[in-house]
Amino acid sequence: MVAYLWLVWYDAASKVSPKHWTLAVTYEAHDRAYATVYEVMSDNTGEYRSRVIRRVHLTSNHPSGAYGGRMLLGEINDNVLRSLEAYSETAAELVNSQNRKRGQNSSNCHDWAHVIVRSLEDAMLLPQGSLARVEKCPRVG
């Protein structure tokens, strides 16, 4: 069965705050499709933890902000879908490691999505150019 992988972003609390990004998987390509959402959230130590939320509408608001927009990254197969949670956890670990090297005030949660999309594109599981499109998506405000 084919599924659709989306990058979804939510409005930030202010014009200088980062937008919250998630990756969402649906089996239908319309606004009211139910999605499984993959994301990272900061814990009380300042590190990102991967989490999965099931059965949310693709265009629903998120507790961190109102729905802002989305971009279809491509179709994925069941093998990718089964691995996506592991990809998310590994990407969170990589981002946390990089953020520790950068310092506390320069962490970047958007790197999590970049790591996953780059991995899927490099493995030819997403179309070429997917990462370049993600890099153009709104990050702030």
Side-chain angles (χ1 to χ4, degrees):
M1 181 178 280
V2 172
Y4 301 95
L5 181 64
W6 307 82
L7 176 69
V8 181
W9 55 90
Y10 302 89
D11 293 339
S14 73
K15 296 284 184 197
V16 295
S17 298
K19 291 182 181 283
H20 182 67
W21 283 9
T22 68
L23 293 173
V25 175
T26 65
Y27 286 104
E28 300 167 318
H30 59 78
D31 287 352
R32 297 304 295 163
Y34 280 100
T36 299
V37 174
Y38 299 83
E39 65 182 352
V40 289
M41 298 296 288
S42 182
D43 65 14
N44 56 359
T45 68
E47 296 218 334
Y48 295 113
R49 299 285 175 239
S50 176
R51 79 175 183 178
V52 179
I53 305 168
R54 290 174 170 71
R55 293 204 40 85
V56 289
H57 287 290
L58 183 61
T59 58
S60 305
N61 291 334
H62 188 276
S64 67
Y67 170 80
R70 72 183 184 286
M71 178 178 59
L72 179 62
L73 298 173
E75 295 179 359
I76 58 172
N77 62 33
D78 285 340
N79 291 333
V80 174
L81 186 56
R82 282 190 289 274
S83 302
L84 205 49
E85 193 165 348
Y87 270 98
S88 181
E89 290 171 3
T90 301
E93 291 172 19
L94 289 170
V95 170
N96 286 331
S97 173
Q98 188 61 37
N99 285 343
R100 282 190 290 275
K101 292 177 190 173
R102 287 181 184 159
Q104 195 171 16
N105 294 329
S106 60
S107 66
N108 185 349
C109 60
H110 300 112
D111 287 349
W112 165 84
H114 289 186
V115 168
I116 295 171
V117 172
R118 179 180 293 120
S119 297
L120 293 173
E121 185 176 326
D122 288 350
M124 297 189 299
L125 298 169
L126 280 177
Q128 284 299 111
S130 295
L131 181 60
R133 292 175 44 235
V134 166
E135 289 171 344
K136 294 177 184 174
C137 288
R139 294 177 177 226
V140 179

